[in-house]
Amino acid sequence: MTRISFIFLAFCIVTLSYGQKTPKAIKITYDRSYNGKRVENPDPLLLYASKEVSLTTTDKILQQKAELPYEQTFIDFNTKTISQWAQLKNKSILSNDSEALGKQKFEFSSETKKILNYTCKKATTSVNSNKIEIWYTNELGLKGGPGVLGQDLGLVLETIRNGNSVVTAAKIEILKTVPTILKIPAVQSVDQLTYKDLLWKSRFINIPVFNKEQIHFVPDAKSNDSILRFASGTIIVRKVKFPEIKKGSAIFADVTQQSNGDAYDRTGSVFMIPMNKKSSFLDGLKNGAKTLPVYENGNGKKYQGVAATDDYTPLLELMRFFTPFGVKHFNYLQLKDKVWQDSVFYRQDISLLQSQLSNQEVYIGMFIGNYDAGGHKASLNISIHNGEDNNTKADFILPLFNTLNVMEMAGQEYATMFDNDKGLEMSFEVPQGYKNFKLSYTTTGHGGWENGDEFLQKKNSIFIDGKEVFAFTPWRTDCGSYRLSNPASGNFGNGLSSSDLSRSNWCPGTTTNPNLIDLGALSPGKHTIRVSIPMGKPEGTSSSAWNVSGFLIGER
């Protein structure tokens, strides 16, 4: 056989083995389907691959029409390196991983099937308890895929996750030249954790309100240019400017708290101070609790600033939380097999308040009741995550009442108005043009001794225009779950800790979730609301109290 004949024969063998000559590069467009139904996608997933490099991207990214942030994945097959490239709002970042590709493990099957006339082999793997099937072909002599998995096996034409989520090659184009986009960008390189963190944080707006601020009891607490301090330092307030927030966006308030000397479980609150009427709670903070409008129900006491009037709007509560017993500061109180938490993290969905925050400059405050010079340290961040959901939209919000005595350390009366049948009763007005009314209602019982309402189950009843519309008994039975946040919690002879005990809708180290009570249709005009709770009687110098806050929600 001549040398020319041998070369020709070898070429024919290669051609028969792969179906065609190995191209310089290819472009694959993928379709997605879920439970057998094709998912319409205005931004198709694309793969470009050459012998040396693959790129997973989308059509909109290549047209520079994709919303920020966006990512592209490069694989360098010579060095077995995965490069994740992300375009953030104001910069690009790159992360390189030369180990992950080689660590992928698969089980190989003898099964084959045809995809776009190419014979594909099957490999399976598991990722975070998800079964992944990879169908790949070697007939084109190139490697790549719609995701990171299986790219070194061959050309991945289909991936199936848990049998129902499928990404399949819909079109393969043979390219005559290697596209210029198959070049890893020369941009700032960061480690993988930094890359993930920067990418995550670029997906939402974060508004830092307080950063490790001390909330304590000292007679000479000083304000500064950004943070106002009241009630001997137990209240901090700051003016915050919010951007425009689209309807349907998710809004979260995050609080991180540590003891800085106080060993006890304390009531905490994050609130907004409405400034839409003649007087506000801020006036009371500046001038004293006695200057606030007074609510009286006939029991002989005067309750300052708790209920809305024609000229005053009470505090709008964003989150109620409860400090644990001495987390961080008292972690030296060791117990065998107990590893105390360093801090407590509280997170509350406050999306309902979009209309009150969007494009507004408002006063945001935080309170932790305590009489300790060290007190607590706390941070507050509010994050905004754009998107659309089907939850209740609050076009109209009317704060009605808030009996939590935020100015406790400045003489504001405790919420003991529930010691008679009238309880808390007030009138409010519904404007024209709204429907589907709801009441956001937060309640916690207090009185920290054996017969105090902290440890007793008490029915809360809500009446609108004299008719009971909602009743329930607020109670938490999961307090023992938070034992590792309570190093200074007292222990009893029966083996229980104080932080284990069930309570009236709160636990040391948790938030208290509001109830969203459906009120249906409320006609425009005046209405009354009454909150009734069978509060326990005082014992000696101890008395119970109920901290309730509520605001009305309406849709257009």
Side-chain angles (χ1 to χ4, degrees), residues 111-130:
E111 293 181 66
T112 63
K113 71 176 178 179
K114 291 279 189 178
I115 300 175
L116 296 179
N117 292 322
Y118 294 97
T119 300
C120 294
K121 303 174 185 178
K122 180 183 176 182
T124 59
T125 188
S126 178
V127 178
N128 298 333
S129 301
N130 294 287

PDB file of all heavy atoms in Angstrom, residues 111-130:
ATOM      1  N   GLU A 111     -26.186   2.569  27.656  1.00  0.00           N
ATOM      2  CA  GLU A 111     -27.305   3.136  26.889  1.00  0.00           C
ATOM      3  C   GLU A 111     -26.810   4.191  25.908  1.00  0.00           C
ATOM      4  O   GLU A 111     -25.887   4.945  26.199  1.00  0.00           O
ATOM      5  CB  GLU A 111     -28.319   3.795  27.829  1.00  0.00           C
ATOM      6  CG  GLU A 111     -29.061   2.854  28.740  1.00  0.00           C
ATOM      7  CD  GLU A 111     -30.050   3.612  29.605  1.00  0.00           C
ATOM      8  OE1 GLU A 111     -31.020   4.163  29.050  1.00  0.00           O
ATOM      9  OE2 GLU A 111     -29.826   3.662  30.834  1.00  0.00           O
ATOM     10  N   THR A 112     -27.460   4.245  24.764  1.00  0.00           N
ATOM     11  CA  THR A 112     -27.198   5.299  23.786  1.00  0.00           C
ATOM     12  C   THR A 112     -28.528   5.792  23.225  1.00  0.00           C
ATOM     13  O   THR A 112     -29.554   5.101  23.307  1.00  0.00           O
ATOM     14  CB  THR A 112     -26.314   4.803  22.628  1.00  0.00           C
ATOM     15  OG1 THR A 112     -27.010   3.756  21.924  1.00  0.00           O
ATOM     16  CG2 THR A 112     -24.973   4.300  23.126  1.00  0.00           C
ATOM     17  N   LYS A 113     -28.503   6.986  22.672  1.00  0.00           N
ATOM     18  CA  LYS A 113     -29.663   7.494  21.934  1.00  0.00           C
ATOM     19  C   LYS A 113     -29.205   8.580  20.973  1.00  0.00           C
ATOM     20  O   LYS A 113     -28.116   9.155  21.125  1.00  0.00           O
ATOM     21  CB  LYS A 113     -30.736   8.014  22.873  1.00  0.00           C
ATOM     22  CG  LYS A 113     -30.432   9.297  23.612  1.00  0.00           C
ATOM     23  CD  LYS A 113     -31.653   9.727  24.420  1.00  0.00           C
ATOM     24  CE  LYS A 113     -31.372  10.993  25.227  1.00  0.00           C
ATOM     25  NZ  LYS A 113     -32.554  11.434  26.009  1.00  0.00           N
ATOM     26  N   LYS A 114     -30.055   8.853  19.981  1.00  0.00           N
ATOM     27  CA  LYS A 114     -29.748   9.848  18.975  1.00  0.00           C
ATOM     28  C   LYS A 114     -30.332  11.205  19.368  1.00  0.00           C
ATOM     29  O   LYS A 114     -31.491  11.308  19.735  1.00  0.00           O
ATOM     30  CB  LYS A 114     -30.328   9.430  17.622  1.00  0.00           C
ATOM     31  CG  LYS A 114     -29.658   8.234  16.976  1.00  0.00           C
ATOM     32  CD  LYS A 114     -28.386   8.654  16.260  1.00  0.00           C
ATOM     33  CE  LYS A 114     -27.820   7.500  15.424  1.00  0.00           C
ATOM     34  NZ  LYS A 114     -26.617   7.903  14.676  1.00  0.00           N
ATOM     35  N   ILE A 115     -29.495  12.231  19.298  1.00  0.00           N
ATOM     36  CA  ILE A 115     -29.946  13.606  19.477  1.00  0.00           C
ATOM     37  C   ILE A 115     -29.408  14.405  18.304  1.00  0.00           C
ATOM     38  O   ILE A 115     -28.174  14.464  18.107  1.00  0.00           O
ATOM     39  CB  ILE A 115     -29.457  14.204  20.811  1.00  0.00           C
ATOM     40  CG1 ILE A 115     -29.983  13.408  22.000  1.00  0.00           C
ATOM     41  CG2 ILE A 115     -29.898  15.671  20.930  1.00  0.00           C
ATOM     42  CD1 ILE A 115     -29.455  13.869  23.357  1.00  0.00           C
ATOM     43  N   LEU A 116     -30.290  14.956  17.494  1.00  0.00           N
ATOM     44  CA  LEU A 116     -29.922  15.704  16.287  1.00  0.00           C
ATOM     45  C   LEU A 116     -29.014  14.859  15.389  1.00  0.00           C
ATOM     46  O   LEU A 116     -28.030  15.335  14.804  1.00  0.00           O
ATOM     47  CB  LEU A 116     -29.242  17.020  16.641  1.00  0.00           C
ATOM     48  CG  LEU A 116     -30.098  18.056  17.404  1.00  0.00           C
ATOM     49  CD1 LEU A 116     -29.273  19.307  17.714  1.00  0.00           C
ATOM     50  CD2 LEU A 116     -31.339  18.422  16.605  1.00  0.00           C
ATOM     51  N   ASN A 117     -29.350  13.540  15.309  1.00  0.00           N
ATOM     52  CA  ASN A 117     -28.640  12.572  14.464  1.00  0.00           C
ATOM     53  C   ASN A 117     -27.247  12.218  14.955  1.00  0.00           C
ATOM     54  O   ASN A 117     -26.476  11.570  14.234  1.00  0.00           O
ATOM     55  CB  ASN A 117     -28.572  13.051  13.005  1.00  0.00           C
ATOM     56  CG  ASN A 117     -29.936  13.062  12.349  1.00  0.00           C
ATOM     57  OD1 ASN A 117     -30.760  12.165  12.593  1.00  0.00           O
ATOM     58  ND2 ASN A 117     -30.191  14.068  11.526  1.00  0.00           N
ATOM     59  N   TYR A 118     -26.886  12.631  16.164  1.00  0.00           N
ATOM     60  CA  TYR A 118     -25.606  12.237  16.752  1.00  0.00           C
ATOM     61  C   TYR A 118     -25.853  11.203  17.833  1.00  0.00           C
ATOM     62  O   TYR A 118     -26.772  11.340  18.659  1.00  0.00           O
ATOM     63  CB  TYR A 118     -24.873  13.444  17.332  1.00  0.00           C
ATOM     64  CG  TYR A 118     -24.435  14.447  16.301  1.00  0.00           C
ATOM     65  CD1 TYR A 118     -25.194  15.573  16.040  1.00  0.00           C
ATOM     66  CD2 TYR A 118     -23.265  14.245  15.569  1.00  0.00           C
ATOM     67  CE1 TYR A 118     -24.798  16.495  15.074  1.00  0.00           C
ATOM     68  CE2 TYR A 118     -22.852  15.155  14.604  1.00  0.00           C
ATOM     69  CZ  TYR A 118     -23.632  16.280  14.363  1.00  0.00           C
ATOM     70  OH  TYR A 118     -23.236  17.178  13.406  1.00  0.00           O
ATOM     71  N   THR A 119     -25.039  10.160  17.836  1.00  0.00           N
ATOM     72  CA  THR A 119     -25.167   9.117  18.846  1.00  0.00           C
ATOM     73  C   THR A 119     -24.586   9.619  20.163  1.00  0.00           C
ATOM     74  O   THR A 119     -23.428  10.046  20.226  1.00  0.00           O
ATOM     75  CB  THR A 119     -24.433   7.837  18.419  1.00  0.00           C
ATOM     76  OG1 THR A 119     -25.002   7.368  17.190  1.00  0.00           O
ATOM     77  CG2 THR A 119     -24.559   6.759  19.483  1.00  0.00           C
ATOM     78  N   CYS A 120     -25.393   9.541  21.209  1.00  0.00           N
ATOM     79  CA  CYS A 120     -24.988  10.053  22.525  1.00  0.00           C
ATOM     80  C   CYS A 120     -24.897   8.920  23.536  1.00  0.00           C
ATOM     81  O   CYS A 120     -25.706   7.982  23.529  1.00  0.00           O
ATOM     82  CB  CYS A 120     -25.980  11.099  23.021  1.00  0.00           C
ATOM     83  SG  CYS A 120     -26.008  12.607  22.030  1.00  0.00           S
ATOM     84  N   LYS A 121     -23.922   9.019  24.421  1.00  0.00           N
ATOM     85  CA  LYS A 121     -23.748   8.095  25.530  1.00  0.00           C
ATOM     86  C   LYS A 121     -24.282   8.729  26.805  1.00  0.00           C
ATOM     87  O   LYS A 121     -24.396   9.947  26.892  1.00  0.00           O
ATOM     88  CB  LYS A 121     -22.270   7.744  25.690  1.00  0.00           C
ATOM     89  CG  LYS A 121     -21.629   7.152  24.449  1.00  0.00           C
ATOM     90  CD  LYS A 121     -20.140   6.980  24.653  1.00  0.00           C
ATOM     91  CE  LYS A 121     -19.457   6.499  23.392  1.00  0.00           C
ATOM     92  NZ  LYS A 121     -17.980   6.362  23.567  1.00  0.00           N
ATOM     93  N   LYS A 122     -24.551   7.896  27.797  1.00  0.00           N
ATOM     94  CA  LYS A 122     -25.166   8.365  29.039  1.00  0.00           C
ATOM     95  C   LYS A 122     -24.198   8.257  30.211  1.00  0.00           C
ATOM     96  O   LYS A 122     -23.532   7.242  30.402  1.00  0.00           O
ATOM     97  CB  LYS A 122     -26.422   7.552  29.333  1.00  0.00           C
ATOM     98  CG  LYS A 122     -27.146   7.948  30.619  1.00  0.00           C
ATOM     99  CD  LYS A 122     -28.340   7.028  30.852  1.00  0.00           C
ATOM    100  CE  LYS A 122     -29.037   7.314  32.161  1.00  0.00           C
ATOM    101  NZ  LYS A 122     -30.160   6.386  32.412  1.00  0.00           N
ATOM    102  N   ALA A 123     -24.129   9.353  30.998  1.00  0.00           N
ATOM    103  CA  ALA A 123     -23.398   9.356  32.273  1.00  0.00           C
ATOM    104  C   ALA A 123     -24.310   9.975  33.323  1.00  0.00           C
ATOM    105  O   ALA A 123     -25.095  10.876  33.025  1.00  0.00           O
ATOM    106  CB  ALA A 123     -22.104  10.144  32.151  1.00  0.00           C
ATOM    107  N   THR A 124     -24.223   9.477  34.545  1.00  0.00           N
ATOM    108  CA  THR A 124     -25.069  10.014  35.621  1.00  0.00           C
ATOM    109  C   THR A 124     -24.204  10.429  36.807  1.00  0.00           C
ATOM    110  O   THR A 124     -23.124   9.868  37.045  1.00  0.00           O
ATOM    111  CB  THR A 124     -26.114   8.981  36.095  1.00  0.00           C
ATOM    112  OG1 THR A 124     -25.439   7.809  36.576  1.00  0.00           O
ATOM    113  CG2 THR A 124     -27.059   8.606  34.961  1.00  0.00           C
ATOM    114  N   THR A 125     -24.714  11.415  37.542  1.00  0.00           N
ATOM    115  CA  THR A 125     -24.051  11.867  38.751  1.00  0.00           C
ATOM    116  C   THR A 125     -25.097  12.431  39.696  1.00  0.00           C
ATOM    117  O   THR A 125     -26.274  12.548  39.341  1.00  0.00           O
ATOM    118  CB  THR A 125     -22.965  12.921  38.434  1.00  0.00           C
ATOM    119  OG1 THR A 125     -22.214  13.192  39.621  1.00  0.00           O
ATOM    120  CG2 THR A 125     -23.584  14.217  37.935  1.00  0.00           C
ATOM    121  N   SER A 126     -24.674  12.799  40.899  1.00  0.00           N
ATOM    122  CA  SER A 126     -25.587  13.389  41.882  1.00  0.00           C
ATOM    123  C   SER A 126     -24.975  14.674  42.401  1.00  0.00           C
ATOM    124  O   SER A 126     -23.793  14.712  42.771  1.00  0.00           O
ATOM    125  CB  SER A 126     -25.834  12.424  43.040  1.00  0.00           C
ATOM    126  OG  SER A 126     -26.680  13.005  44.019  1.00  0.00           O
ATOM    127  N   VAL A 127     -25.792  15.738  42.427  1.00  0.00           N
ATOM    128  CA  VAL A 127     -25.348  17.035  42.933  1.00  0.00           C
ATOM    129  C   VAL A 127     -26.384  17.534  43.927  1.00  0.00           C
ATOM    130  O   VAL A 127     -27.550  17.746  43.568  1.00  0.00           O
ATOM    131  CB  VAL A 127     -25.180  18.055  41.793  1.00  0.00           C
ATOM    132  CG1 VAL A 127     -24.758  19.405  42.354  1.00  0.00           C
ATOM    133  CG2 VAL A 127     -24.163  17.563  40.765  1.00  0.00           C
ATOM    134  N   ASN A 128     -25.968  17.674  45.175  1.00  0.00           N
ATOM    135  CA  ASN A 128     -26.878  18.162  46.229  1.00  0.00           C
ATOM    136  C   ASN A 128     -28.193  17.390  46.240  1.00  0.00           C
ATOM    137  O   ASN A 128     -29.278  17.962  46.279  1.00  0.00           O
ATOM    138  CB  ASN A 128     -27.145  19.656  46.062  1.00  0.00           C
ATOM    139  CG  ASN A 128     -25.896  20.486  46.188  1.00  0.00           C
ATOM    140  OD1 ASN A 128     -24.955  20.095  46.858  1.00  0.00           O
ATOM    141  ND2 ASN A 128     -25.874  21.632  45.519  1.00  0.00           N
ATOM    142  N   SER A 129     -28.082  16.061  46.200  1.00  0.00           N
ATOM    143  CA  SER A 129     -29.232  15.142  46.230  1.00  0.00           C
ATOM    144  C   SER A 129     -30.091  15.215  44.981  1.00  0.00           C
ATOM    145  O   SER A 129     -31.220  14.710  44.976  1.00  0.00           O
ATOM    146  CB  SER A 129     -30.103  15.387  47.474  1.00  0.00           C
ATOM    147  OG  SER A 129     -29.353  15.216  48.664  1.00  0.00           O
ATOM    148  N   ASN A 130     -29.614  15.841  43.905  1.00  0.00           N
ATOM    149  CA  ASN A 130     -30.304  15.861  42.620  1.00  0.00           C
ATOM    150  C   ASN A 130     -29.625  14.883  41.673  1.00  0.00           C
ATOM    151  O   ASN A 130     -28.401  14.942  41.482  1.00  0.00           O
ATOM    152  CB  ASN A 130     -30.278  17.262  42.009  1.00  0.00           C
ATOM    153  CG  ASN A 130     -31.063  18.254  42.830  1.00  0.00           C
ATOM    154  OD1 ASN A 130     -32.286  18.238  42.856  1.00  0.00           O
ATOM    155  ND2 ASN A 130     -30.345  19.135  43.521  1.00  0.00           N
TER     156      ASN A 130
END
